[in-house]
Amino acid sequence: MTMTAAPLALIAAGLLILWMPRAGLIPQARRWRRRRERMRVEHALKRLLASEHGSGPIAPESLADSLRLGRRETYRLVRRMESAGLVQSQPGALQL
């Protein structure tokens, strides 16, 4: 290989490693992020179901504490769950 072909080959190999459809780093990161979001929704639903059978509606702050999420992440999660029709939000309370 010439002096200019070697760096180009390394760049091409790097891009291939990043973008390969199944084994690339970027597709793997996307799958990991979707899996993490699904798990958060599942854990939130389990917590809400437990509260429905126990103490009644749960506050978003309490949900954030039990899921160990920040306030912003919790509100994004609640909005996503509301748009999917999984929860209903009332002032200071969430319920299935």
Side-chain angles (χ1 to χ4, degrees):
M1 280 190 211
T2 64
M3 291 298 278
T4 57
L8 290 176
L10 285 175
I11 290 171
L15 289 173
L16 186 63
I17 289 171
L18 284 175
W19 289 100
M20 282 178 20
R22 287 195 165 170
L25 295 176
I26 292 174
Q28 284 182 9
R30 287 180 181 152
R31 281 192 301 274
W32 180 78
R33 186 174 35 230
R34 284 192 303 265
R35 194 174 315 127
R36 184 185 66 194
E37 291 302 316
R38 187 185 71 237
M39 288 177 61
R40 284 182 177 172
V41 168
E42 290 173 357
H43 289 306
L45 289 173
K46 284 190 266 187
R47 177 67 175 97
L48 288 166
L49 184 62
S51 72
E52 292 267 328
H53 288 296
S55 60
I58 186 172
E61 293 80 15
S62 178
L63 183 64
D65 290 341
S66 65
L67 296 177
R68 296 183 180 149
L69 295 176
R71 179 175 258 174
R72 183 178 293 169
E73 288 177 285
T74 302
Y75 283 112
R76 275 192 221 133
L77 177 64
V78 168
R79 279 194 308 252
R80 237 179 284 119
M81 290 170 51
E82 280 180 321
S83 67
L86 298 172
V87 298
Q88 294 178 350
S89 178
Q90 300 169 356
L94 300 169
Q95 54 186 181
L96 295 174

